[in-house]
Amino acid sequence: MLLTMTTTHQPATDLGHLLHKHPDRAQSFTTSSGVAHVFYPKATNEECTVALLLEVDPIALVRGPGSTLTQYVNDRPYAAGSLLTVALGSVFRTAMNGRSESYPELAQTPIPLVVRIPALPHKLAERLFTPLGWEVRINEHGDSRYGDVTLTGTNKLSDALKHLYVLLPVLDGGKHYWVAADEVDKLLKAGDGWLATHPDKELITTRYLARKRPLVLSALERLAEVDEVEPEELDNALTEPKISLAAQRKEAVIKALKEARAKRVLDLGCGGGALLRELITVPEFTEIHGVDVSAKALQEAARKLRLDRMPDRTRERITLRQSALTYADTELAGYDAAVLMEVVEHVDPSRLPALEHSVFAVARPATVLVTTPNVEYNALFETLPAGQLRHNDHRFEWTRAEFAQWAEGVAGRRGYRVRYVGIGPEDAERGAPTQMAVFSSGDEN
Protein backbone atom coordinates (compact mmCIF):
# COMPACT_ATOMS: atom_id res chain seq x y z
CA MET A 1 0.00 0.00 0.00
CA LEU A 2 1.20 3.48 -0.89
CA LEU A 3 0.82 7.04 0.39
CA THR A 4 2.54 10.14 -0.95
CA MET A 5 2.71 13.64 0.49
CA THR A 6 3.81 16.70 -1.49
CA THR A 7 4.52 20.29 -0.49
CA THR A 8 5.35 23.42 -2.48
CA HIS A 9 6.41 25.36 0.61
CA GLN A 10 9.81 26.78 -0.26
CA PRO A 11 12.39 25.52 0.19
CA ALA A 12 10.27 22.40 -0.28
CA THR A 13 13.07 20.10 0.86
CA ASP A 14 12.42 21.36 4.39
CA LEU A 15 9.85 18.56 4.38
CA GLY A 16 12.74 16.20 5.02
CA HIS A 17 13.69 18.12 8.16
CA LEU A 18 10.12 18.00 9.45
CA LEU A 19 9.82 14.24 8.79
CA HIS A 20 13.35 13.52 10.05
CA LYS A 21 13.99 11.58 6.82
CA HIS A 22 16.66 12.85 4.41
CA PRO A 23 15.47 13.35 0.80
CA ASP A 24 18.70 11.87 -0.59
CA ARG A 25 18.30 8.55 1.21
CA ALA A 26 15.84 5.70 0.83
CA GLN A 27 15.17 4.06 4.19
CA SER A 28 13.40 0.90 5.29
CA PHE A 29 11.77 0.13 8.64
CA THR A 30 10.43 -3.12 10.02
CA THR A 31 6.83 -2.91 11.23
CA SER A 32 4.48 -5.46 12.76
CA SER A 33 2.96 -6.21 9.35
CA GLY A 34 5.97 -6.00 7.05
CA VAL A 35 8.53 -3.46 5.84
CA ALA A 36 7.88 0.27 5.38
CA HIS A 37 9.97 2.06 2.78
CA VAL A 38 10.42 5.85 2.82
CA PHE A 39 11.81 7.60 -0.25
CA TYR A 40 11.45 10.85 -2.18
CA PRO A 41 10.32 10.59 -5.84
CA LYS A 42 10.92 14.34 -6.19
CA ALA A 43 12.99 16.70 -4.04
CA THR A 44 13.61 20.24 -5.32
CA ASN A 45 13.37 23.64 -3.69
CA GLU A 46 10.08 24.21 -5.55
CA GLU A 47 8.39 20.87 -4.86
CA CYS A 48 9.10 17.90 -2.63
CA THR A 49 7.26 14.58 -2.47
CA VAL A 50 7.78 11.87 0.14
CA ALA A 51 6.41 8.36 -0.37
CA LEU A 52 5.58 5.73 2.24
CA LEU A 53 5.34 2.28 0.70
CA LEU A 54 4.27 -0.52 3.02
CA GLU A 55 5.29 -3.94 1.82
CA VAL A 56 2.93 -6.20 3.74
CA ASP A 57 4.05 -9.69 4.68
CA PRO A 58 1.14 -11.93 3.53
CA ILE A 59 2.39 -14.84 5.65
CA ALA A 60 2.16 -12.67 8.76
CA LEU A 61 -1.43 -11.83 7.87
CA VAL A 62 -2.30 -15.51 7.59
CA ARG A 63 -1.53 -15.91 11.26
CA GLY A 64 -4.56 -13.75 12.06
CA PRO A 65 -8.13 -14.97 12.63
CA GLY A 66 -10.44 -16.01 9.81
CA SER A 67 -11.10 -18.86 7.42
CA THR A 68 -8.39 -20.17 5.13
CA LEU A 69 -9.90 -18.36 2.15
CA THR A 70 -10.26 -14.96 3.83
CA GLN A 71 -6.78 -15.25 5.27
CA TYR A 72 -5.21 -15.55 1.84
CA VAL A 73 -7.68 -13.67 -0.34
CA ASN A 74 -8.27 -10.14 1.00
CA ASP A 75 -7.41 -6.51 0.34
CA ARG A 76 -5.11 -5.98 3.31
CA PRO A 77 -1.78 -5.96 1.43
CA TYR A 78 -3.03 -3.26 -0.97
CA ALA A 79 -5.69 -0.94 0.44
CA ALA A 80 -4.87 1.82 2.94
CA GLY A 81 -6.18 1.14 6.42
CA SER A 82 -4.97 0.29 9.89
CA LEU A 83 -1.83 -1.45 8.61
CA LEU A 84 -0.72 1.77 6.96
CA THR A 85 -1.54 3.90 10.01
CA VAL A 86 0.59 1.66 12.21
CA ALA A 87 3.45 2.29 9.78
CA LEU A 88 2.71 6.05 9.78
CA GLY A 89 2.77 6.18 13.56
CA SER A 90 6.01 4.21 13.71
CA VAL A 91 8.01 5.82 10.89
CA PHE A 92 6.85 9.44 11.36
CA ARG A 93 6.24 9.44 15.13
CA THR A 94 8.34 12.53 15.90
CA ALA A 95 6.79 14.52 13.06
CA MET A 96 3.30 13.48 14.16
CA ASN A 97 4.05 14.86 17.61
CA GLY A 98 4.98 18.20 16.02
CA ARG A 99 8.60 18.15 17.16
CA SER A 100 11.52 19.48 15.13
CA GLU A 101 14.71 20.62 16.85
CA SER A 102 16.11 22.24 13.70
CA TYR A 103 12.86 23.83 12.45
CA PRO A 104 10.56 24.27 15.50
CA GLU A 105 8.66 27.25 14.04
CA LEU A 106 8.04 25.53 10.70
CA ALA A 107 6.72 22.46 12.53
CA GLN A 108 4.00 24.70 13.98
CA THR A 109 3.26 26.48 10.70
CA PRO A 110 0.53 25.40 8.24
CA ILE A 111 2.08 24.57 4.86
CA PRO A 112 0.50 23.59 1.50
CA LEU A 113 0.17 19.81 1.28
CA VAL A 114 -1.15 17.32 -1.24
CA VAL A 115 -1.72 13.78 0.03
CA ARG A 116 -2.48 10.95 -2.36
CA ILE A 117 -3.64 7.43 -1.43
CA PRO A 118 -4.13 5.36 -4.62
CA ALA A 119 -6.27 2.64 -3.00
CA LEU A 120 -8.59 3.83 -0.24
CA PRO A 121 -12.23 3.04 0.67
CA HIS A 122 -13.65 6.40 -0.35
CA LYS A 123 -17.33 6.39 0.62
CA LEU A 124 -16.85 8.67 3.63
CA ALA A 125 -13.66 10.44 2.52
CA GLU A 126 -15.20 13.78 1.57
CA ARG A 127 -17.49 13.80 4.59
CA LEU A 128 -14.64 13.19 7.06
CA PHE A 129 -11.76 15.18 5.55
CA THR A 130 -13.59 18.30 4.31
CA PRO A 131 -14.38 19.70 7.82
CA LEU A 132 -10.64 19.57 8.52
CA GLY A 133 -9.85 21.95 5.69
CA TRP A 134 -9.02 19.39 2.99
CA GLU A 135 -10.27 19.53 -0.57
CA VAL A 136 -11.05 15.94 -1.56
CA ARG A 137 -10.73 14.61 -5.11
CA ILE A 138 -11.67 10.99 -5.86
CA ASN A 139 -10.97 8.97 -8.99
CA GLU A 140 -13.17 5.91 -8.65
CA HIS A 141 -12.06 2.43 -9.72
CA GLY A 142 -15.23 1.33 -11.50
CA ASP A 143 -17.75 -0.19 -9.10
CA SER A 144 -15.08 -0.86 -6.49
CA ARG A 145 -15.38 0.55 -2.97
CA TYR A 146 -11.81 1.78 -3.45
CA GLY A 147 -10.72 4.96 -5.15
CA ASP A 148 -7.63 7.01 -5.85
CA VAL A 149 -8.03 9.78 -3.26
CA THR A 150 -6.17 13.10 -3.29
CA LEU A 151 -6.35 15.54 -0.38
CA THR A 152 -5.27 19.15 -0.91
CA GLY A 153 -5.01 21.68 1.88
CA THR A 154 -2.90 23.90 4.09
CA ASN A 155 -2.21 22.30 7.46
CA LYS A 156 0.53 21.76 9.95
CA LEU A 157 2.37 18.58 8.99
CA SER A 158 1.70 17.07 12.42
CA ASP A 159 -2.04 17.72 12.05
CA ALA A 160 -2.09 16.17 8.58
CA LEU A 161 -0.39 13.02 9.88
CA LYS A 162 -2.85 12.82 12.79
CA HIS A 163 -5.82 13.19 10.45
CA LEU A 164 -4.51 10.29 8.36
CA TYR A 165 -3.64 8.20 11.42
CA VAL A 166 -7.21 8.34 12.70
CA LEU A 167 -9.27 8.51 9.53
CA LEU A 168 -7.63 5.85 7.32
CA PRO A 169 -8.83 2.95 9.52
CA VAL A 170 -12.16 4.75 10.01
CA LEU A 171 -12.67 4.82 6.24
CA ASP A 172 -11.67 1.18 6.00
CA GLY A 173 -14.14 0.30 8.75
CA GLY A 174 -11.99 -2.36 10.42
CA LYS A 175 -8.70 -3.00 12.15
CA HIS A 176 -6.26 -5.83 11.73
CA TYR A 177 -5.54 -6.06 15.45
CA TRP A 178 -7.46 -6.45 18.69
CA VAL A 179 -8.91 -3.17 19.93
CA ALA A 180 -8.33 -2.78 23.67
CA ALA A 181 -8.72 0.04 26.18
CA ASP A 182 -5.38 1.61 25.23
CA GLU A 183 -6.88 2.50 21.84
CA VAL A 184 -8.92 5.19 23.59
CA ASP A 185 -5.72 6.95 24.64
CA LYS A 186 -4.29 6.63 21.11
CA LEU A 187 -7.44 8.15 19.63
CA LEU A 188 -7.54 11.07 22.05
CA LYS A 189 -3.84 11.82 21.53
CA ALA A 190 -4.08 11.75 17.72
CA GLY A 191 -7.39 13.63 17.80
CA ASP A 192 -6.07 16.37 20.05
CA GLY A 193 -7.13 19.77 18.76
CA TRP A 194 -9.55 18.65 16.03
CA LEU A 195 -11.61 15.56 16.82
CA ALA A 196 -13.70 17.15 19.58
CA THR A 197 -15.06 19.77 17.15
CA HIS A 198 -15.50 17.47 14.14
CA PRO A 199 -19.19 17.22 13.14
CA ASP A 200 -18.83 13.42 12.76
CA LYS A 201 -16.84 12.83 15.96
CA GLU A 202 -19.22 10.11 17.13
CA LEU A 203 -19.00 8.23 13.82
CA ILE A 204 -15.20 8.52 13.84
CA THR A 205 -14.93 7.35 17.43
CA THR A 206 -17.29 4.44 16.90
CA ARG A 207 -15.51 3.12 13.81
CA TYR A 208 -12.01 3.76 15.15
CA LEU A 209 -12.80 1.74 18.28
CA ALA A 210 -14.33 -1.10 16.26
CA ARG A 211 -17.82 -0.36 17.62
CA LYS A 212 -16.88 -1.60 21.11
CA ARG A 213 -19.57 0.28 23.00
CA PRO A 214 -17.90 0.60 26.45
CA LEU A 215 -14.75 2.01 24.82
CA VAL A 216 -16.75 4.34 22.59
CA LEU A 217 -18.77 5.73 25.50
CA SER A 218 -15.65 6.24 27.60
CA ALA A 219 -13.82 7.92 24.72
CA LEU A 220 -16.70 10.30 24.09
CA GLU A 221 -16.86 11.15 27.80
CA ARG A 222 -13.16 12.02 27.86
CA LEU A 223 -13.21 13.64 24.44
CA ALA A 224 -15.84 16.06 25.70
CA GLU A 225 -13.32 17.53 28.12
CA VAL A 226 -10.48 17.96 25.61
CA ASP A 227 -9.10 21.39 24.58
CA GLU A 228 -11.72 23.46 26.40
CA VAL A 229 -14.49 22.02 24.22
CA GLU A 230 -17.87 21.94 25.84
CA PRO A 231 -19.17 18.41 26.50
CA GLU A 232 -22.41 18.91 24.54
CA GLU A 233 -24.09 15.56 23.96
CA LEU A 234 -20.89 13.49 24.20
CA ASP A 235 -20.64 13.23 27.95
CA ASN A 236 -21.70 9.66 28.75
CA ALA A 237 -21.46 7.42 31.79
CA LEU A 238 -20.59 3.72 31.79
CA THR A 239 -24.03 2.53 30.89
CA GLU A 240 -25.69 3.83 27.76
CA PRO A 241 -28.08 6.49 29.00
CA LYS A 242 -31.07 7.66 27.00
CA ILE A 243 -29.93 11.20 27.73
CA SER A 244 -26.21 11.99 27.98
CA LEU A 245 -24.70 13.37 31.15
CA ALA A 246 -23.97 16.71 29.47
CA ALA A 247 -27.61 17.01 28.44
CA GLN A 248 -28.77 16.03 31.93
CA ARG A 249 -26.48 18.70 33.38
CA LYS A 250 -27.98 21.41 31.20
CA GLU A 251 -31.51 20.21 31.95
CA ALA A 252 -30.81 20.35 35.69
CA VAL A 253 -29.38 23.87 35.40
CA ILE A 254 -32.33 25.18 33.37
CA LYS A 255 -34.80 23.54 35.73
CA ALA A 256 -33.13 25.23 38.73
CA LEU A 257 -33.11 28.59 36.94
CA LYS A 258 -36.82 28.28 36.19
CA GLU A 259 -37.54 27.33 39.80
CA ALA A 260 -35.68 30.48 40.87
CA ARG A 261 -37.82 32.49 38.39
CA ALA A 262 -34.65 33.97 36.92
CA LYS A 263 -34.97 36.27 33.92
CA ARG A 264 -31.50 37.83 33.67
CA VAL A 265 -28.87 35.06 33.65
CA LEU A 266 -25.06 35.00 33.72
CA ASP A 267 -23.21 32.02 32.24
CA LEU A 268 -19.81 32.40 33.91
CA GLY A 269 -17.07 30.46 32.16
CA CYS A 270 -19.33 29.91 29.16
CA GLY A 271 -16.60 28.39 26.99
CA GLY A 272 -17.81 27.46 23.51
CA GLY A 273 -21.42 28.23 24.35
CA ALA A 274 -22.92 24.79 25.05
CA LEU A 275 -25.20 26.12 27.81
CA LEU A 276 -25.84 29.41 26.02
CA ARG A 277 -27.36 27.52 23.10
CA GLU A 278 -29.88 25.98 25.49
CA LEU A 279 -30.57 29.16 27.46
CA ILE A 280 -31.44 31.12 24.33
CA THR A 281 -34.26 28.67 23.56
CA VAL A 282 -36.05 29.49 26.83
CA PRO A 283 -38.27 32.59 26.42
CA GLU A 284 -38.32 33.24 30.17
CA PHE A 285 -34.66 34.20 30.07
CA THR A 286 -34.94 37.72 28.73
CA GLU A 287 -31.26 38.66 29.13
CA ILE A 288 -28.38 36.19 28.84
CA HIS A 289 -24.77 37.18 29.44
CA GLY A 290 -21.96 34.76 28.53
CA VAL A 291 -18.61 35.43 30.19
CA ASP A 292 -15.24 33.77 29.59
CA VAL A 293 -11.59 34.70 30.00
CA SER A 294 -10.72 33.16 26.62
CA ALA A 295 -11.30 35.29 23.52
CA LYS A 296 -10.98 32.14 21.40
CA ALA A 297 -13.76 30.45 23.38
CA LEU A 298 -16.02 33.47 22.93
CA GLN A 299 -15.38 33.47 19.18
CA GLU A 300 -16.32 29.79 19.09
CA ALA A 301 -19.46 30.52 21.11
CA ALA A 302 -20.45 33.28 18.67
CA ARG A 303 -19.89 30.91 15.75
CA LYS A 304 -21.92 28.07 17.26
CA LEU A 305 -24.71 30.43 18.28
CA ARG A 306 -24.67 31.88 14.74
CA LEU A 307 -24.97 35.37 16.16
CA ASP A 308 -24.49 36.92 12.73
CA ARG A 309 -27.60 35.11 11.43
CA MET A 310 -29.72 35.27 14.57
CA PRO A 311 -33.04 37.17 14.39
CA ASP A 312 -32.74 40.66 15.86
CA ARG A 313 -35.19 40.03 18.71
CA THR A 314 -33.25 36.93 19.77
CA ARG A 315 -29.86 38.59 19.26
CA GLU A 316 -30.86 41.43 21.59
CA ARG A 317 -31.22 38.93 24.46
CA ILE A 318 -27.62 37.69 24.43
CA THR A 319 -24.28 39.34 25.19
CA LEU A 320 -20.76 37.89 25.20
CA ARG A 321 -18.09 39.43 27.40
CA GLN A 322 -14.43 38.67 28.05
CA SER A 323 -13.66 38.77 31.76
CA ALA A 324 -11.81 36.73 34.37
CA LEU A 325 -13.94 35.22 37.13
CA THR A 326 -11.20 35.80 39.69
CA TYR A 327 -11.34 39.58 39.22
CA ALA A 328 -14.16 41.83 40.43
CA ASP A 329 -16.27 43.02 37.51
CA THR A 330 -19.01 45.43 38.53
CA GLU A 331 -20.61 45.09 35.07
CA LEU A 332 -21.81 41.65 36.16
CA ALA A 333 -23.79 42.95 39.14
CA GLY A 334 -27.57 42.95 39.28
CA TYR A 335 -28.42 39.68 37.54
CA ASP A 336 -31.03 37.26 38.83
CA ALA A 337 -28.85 34.18 38.53
CA ALA A 338 -25.34 33.03 37.67
CA VAL A 339 -24.23 29.60 36.47
CA LEU A 340 -20.74 28.13 36.84
CA MET A 341 -21.14 24.84 34.97
CA GLU A 342 -18.00 22.69 35.24
CA VAL A 343 -15.86 25.77 35.95
CA VAL A 344 -14.54 25.81 39.52
CA GLU A 345 -12.36 22.72 39.01
CA HIS A 346 -10.38 24.66 36.38
CA VAL A 347 -9.41 27.31 38.96
CA ASP A 348 -6.30 26.98 41.12
CA PRO A 349 -7.36 26.39 44.75
CA SER A 350 -5.44 29.49 45.81
CA ARG A 351 -7.65 31.57 43.49
CA LEU A 352 -10.98 30.24 44.79
CA PRO A 353 -11.32 33.01 47.42
CA ALA A 354 -10.98 35.59 44.61
CA LEU A 355 -13.65 33.78 42.58
CA GLU A 356 -15.88 33.67 45.65
CA HIS A 357 -15.49 37.42 46.14
CA SER A 358 -16.15 38.34 42.50
CA VAL A 359 -19.21 36.09 42.15
CA PHE A 360 -20.85 36.08 45.58
CA ALA A 361 -19.89 39.58 46.79
CA VAL A 362 -19.45 41.81 43.71
CA ALA A 363 -21.85 40.27 41.18
CA ARG A 364 -24.04 38.85 43.95
CA PRO A 365 -26.93 37.35 41.95
CA ALA A 366 -29.91 36.07 43.91
CA THR A 367 -29.19 32.50 42.72
CA VAL A 368 -25.86 30.85 41.95
CA LEU A 369 -25.60 27.37 40.44
CA VAL A 370 -22.27 25.53 40.60
CA THR A 371 -21.74 22.12 39.00
CA THR A 372 -18.52 20.12 39.28
CA PRO A 373 -17.38 16.48 38.87
CA ASN A 374 -17.79 14.08 41.78
CA VAL A 375 -14.35 12.47 42.01
CA GLU A 376 -15.78 9.48 43.89
CA TYR A 377 -17.57 8.44 40.70
CA ASN A 378 -14.35 8.33 38.65
CA ALA A 379 -13.64 4.74 39.66
CA LEU A 380 -16.65 3.66 37.59
CA PHE A 381 -15.10 4.84 34.31
CA GLU A 382 -13.33 1.77 32.93
CA THR A 383 -10.63 3.48 30.87
CA LEU A 384 -9.86 6.31 33.29
CA PRO A 385 -6.66 5.28 35.13
CA ALA A 386 -6.85 5.27 38.93
CA GLY A 387 -5.99 8.68 40.34
CA GLN A 388 -6.31 10.48 36.99
CA LEU A 389 -8.67 13.43 36.75
CA ARG A 390 -11.30 13.67 34.02
CA HIS A 391 -9.58 16.59 32.27
CA ASN A 392 -5.92 17.50 32.04
CA ASP A 393 -6.75 21.12 32.91
CA HIS A 394 -8.60 20.24 36.13
CA ARG A 395 -6.74 21.62 39.13
CA PHE A 396 -8.71 19.34 41.46
CA GLU A 397 -11.86 17.25 41.67
CA TRP A 398 -13.87 17.19 44.89
CA THR A 399 -15.58 14.42 46.78
CA ARG A 400 -19.14 15.18 47.83
CA ALA A 401 -17.94 16.01 51.35
CA GLU A 402 -15.22 18.37 50.05
CA PHE A 403 -17.68 20.13 47.76
CA ALA A 404 -20.14 20.56 50.62
CA GLN A 405 -17.41 21.91 52.89
CA TRP A 406 -16.50 24.57 50.31
CA ALA A 407 -20.12 25.43 49.50
CA GLU A 408 -21.18 25.68 53.16
CA GLY A 409 -18.23 27.98 53.80
CA VAL A 410 -19.16 30.25 50.91
CA ALA A 411 -22.82 30.31 51.93
CA GLY A 412 -21.98 31.17 55.52
CA ARG A 413 -19.55 33.94 54.62
CA ARG A 414 -21.72 35.51 51.90
CA GLY A 415 -25.23 35.21 53.31
CA TYR A 416 -26.58 32.44 51.08
CA ARG A 417 -28.45 29.21 51.70
CA VAL A 418 -27.28 26.13 49.80
CA ARG A 419 -28.77 22.81 48.75
CA TYR A 420 -27.33 19.99 46.63
CA VAL A 421 -28.51 18.12 43.55
CA GLY A 422 -26.96 15.00 42.05
CA ILE A 423 -26.89 14.88 38.24
CA GLY A 424 -26.60 11.69 36.20
CA PRO A 425 -26.96 7.98 37.02
CA GLU A 426 -26.63 7.60 40.79
CA ASP A 427 -24.47 4.89 42.32
CA ALA A 428 -25.52 3.69 45.76
CA GLU A 429 -22.03 4.16 47.23
CA ARG A 430 -20.36 6.75 45.03
CA GLY A 431 -23.25 9.08 44.24
CA ALA A 432 -23.85 10.82 40.90
CA PRO A 433 -21.11 11.72 38.40
CA THR A 434 -21.93 15.45 38.62
CA GLN A 435 -22.80 17.38 41.76
CA MET A 436 -24.57 20.73 41.80
CA ALA A 437 -24.86 23.32 44.56
CA VAL A 438 -27.81 25.72 44.40
CA PHE A 439 -27.09 28.92 46.35
CA SER A 440 -30.00 31.24 47.22
CA SER A 441 -29.57 34.64 48.84
CA GLY A 442 -31.96 36.66 50.97
CA ASP A 443 -31.91 39.24 48.15
CA GLU A 444 -34.07 37.08 45.83
CA ASN A 445 -37.59 38.19 44.98
Side-chain angles (χ1 to χ4, degrees):
M1 55 188 70
L2 177 67
L3 179 149
T4 64
M5 181 177 293
T6 301
T7 186
T8 53
H9 164 83
Q10 296 186 12
T13 49
D14 284 352
L15 182 63
H17 290 283
L18 297 180
L19 292 171
H20 301 267
K21 304 292 182 290
H22 200 288
D24 293 338
R25 293 173 53 199
Q27 297 176 265
S28 299
F29 306 86
T30 301
T31 72
S32 59
S33 56
V35 180
H37 306 281
V38 179
F39 55 95
Y40 289 77
K42 185 173 185 178
T44 68
N45 284 338
E46 292 73 30
E47 184 176 311
C48 186
T49 298
V50 63
L52 174 63
L53 174 65
L54 179 60
E55 188 178 5
V56 175
D57 180 359
I59 303 301
L61 292 184
V62 171
R63 300 190 183 104
S67 69
T68 302
L69 180 62
T70 57
Q71 284 176 331
Y72 281 98
V73 183
N74 60 62
D75 59 2
R76 293 300 179 193
Y78 316 106
S82 60
L83 293 171
L84 186 58
T85 59
V86 170
L88 271 175
S90 174
V91 174
F92 298 138
R93 184 183 305 277
T94 303
M96 190 179 297
N97 290 331
R99 297 200 304 269
S100 175
E101 293 183 3
S102 53
Y103 289 81
E105 291 185 5
L106 183 58
Q108 300 303 315
T109 301
I111 60 175
L113 293 168
V114 178
V115 179
R116 182 186 173 197
I117 310 104
L120 179 68
H122 63 79
K123 182 178 180 181
L124 297 172
E126 188 171 3
R127 175 177 171 181
L128 298 184
F129 279 104
T130 300
L132 300 174
W134 295 100
E135 178 185 336
V136 181
R137 187 173 73 252
I138 302 170
N139 291 323
E140 298 184 9
H141 300 318
D143 295 331
S144 171
R145 66 188 286 255
Y146 305 108
D148 186 340
V149 178
T150 301
L151 309 172
T152 304
T154 301
N155 275 298
K156 292 192 296 183
L157 179 63
S158 59
D159 288 343
L161 291 171
K162 289 175 182 178
H163 298 165
L164 294 167
Y165 182 84
V166 172
L167 295 182
L168 292 186
V170 169
L171 290 169
D172 183 38
K175 288 197 172 184
H176 71 281
Y177 57 85
W178 178 255
V179 175
D182 62 342
E183 289 294 297
V184 174
D185 294 324
K186 293 179 185 178
L187 174 63
L188 296 184
K189 183 176 181 181
D192 184 30
W194 63 270
L195 180 55
T197 56
H198 196 291
D200 278 308
K201 50 191 165 276
E202 294 189 40
L203 171 66
I204 293 169
T205 302
T206 299
R207 290 172 70 95
Y208 185 90
L209 296 171
R211 299 175 176 80
K212 293 184 180 293
R213 193 63 182 169
L215 298 183
V216 172
L217 291 174
S218 179
L220 292 175
E221 165 70 22
R222 293 172 58 188
L223 181 63
E225 306 294 345
V226 172
D227 292 335
E228 297 183 356
V229 175
E230 293 300 322
E232 302 182 359
E233 281 72 33
L234 297 177
D235 206 356
N236 292 286
L238 286 177
T239 57
E240 184 177 359
K242 293 181 179 179
I243 304 177
S244 68
L245 179 56
Q248 292 180 68
R249 232 185 339 246
K250 287 179 283 190
E251 282 188 5
V253 165
I254 290 174
K255 178 182 177 183
L257 289 173
K258 288 182 176 180
E259 290 175 348
R261 298 181 180 179
K263 295 184 180 299
R264 305 177 68 234
V265 179
L266 292 170
D267 182 2
L268 302 179
C270 65
L275 180 60
L276 292 174
R277 295 200 299 276
E278 301 298 324
L279 295 175
I280 201 69
T281 66
V282 182
E284 294 97 306
F285 306 144
T286 57
E287 187 174 343
I288 303 163
H289 202 129
V291 181
D292 203 280
V293 70
S294 169
K296 179 181 177 182
L298 292 173
Q299 291 171 358
E300 181 69 9
R303 183 185 69 82
K304 290 183 176 180
L305 286 163
R306 299 183 178 183
L307 290 185
D308 56 337
R309 286 173 278 178
M310 189 175 284
D312 290 343
R313 291 185 63 182
T314 306
R315 180 66 183 87
E316 291 170 358
R317 293 168 53 211
I318 189 164
T319 303
L320 300 180
R321 177 182 178 82
Q322 185 176 12
S323 184
L325 303 187
T326 53
Y327 293 92
D329 187 345
T330 56
E331 293 295 320
L332 303 181
Y335 282 78
D336 300 325
V339 180
L340 292 89
M341 191 173 77
E342 309 298 282
V343 170
V344 293
E345 63 273 9
H346 293 271
V347 179
D348 288 321
S350 62
R351 301 293 293 160
L352 287 176
L355 180 145
E356 175 188 330
H357 174 73
S358 65
V359 174
F360 292 89
V362 178
R364 194 169 177 80
T367 300
V368 181
L369 309 180
V370 180
T371 79
T372 191
N374 168 20
V375 72
E376 298 168 69
Y377 198 88
N378 287 3
L380 300 181
F381 294 109
E382 289 181 349
T383 63
L384 187 65
Q388 182 173 314
L389 302 182
R390 298 185 199 178
H391 187 299
N392 57 14
D393 187 55
H394 284 184
R395 304 308 199 257
F396 59 86
E397 287 176 5
W398 277 323
T399 64
R400 287 168 291 174
E402 289 168 336
F403 184 42
Q405 182 180 16
W406 174 80
E408 297 288 348
V410 170
R413 289 186 292 270
R414 304 299 177 180
Y416 282 79
R417 302 184 303 276
V418 63
R419 62 183 177 87
Y420 305 96
V421 178
I423 302 173
E426 189 126 4
D427 180 77
E429 295 183 3
R430 300 180 181 276
T434 296
Q435 46 190 340
M436 178 169 70
V438 180
F439 295 87
S440 303
S441 78
D443 304 336
E444 58 191 312
N445 294 330

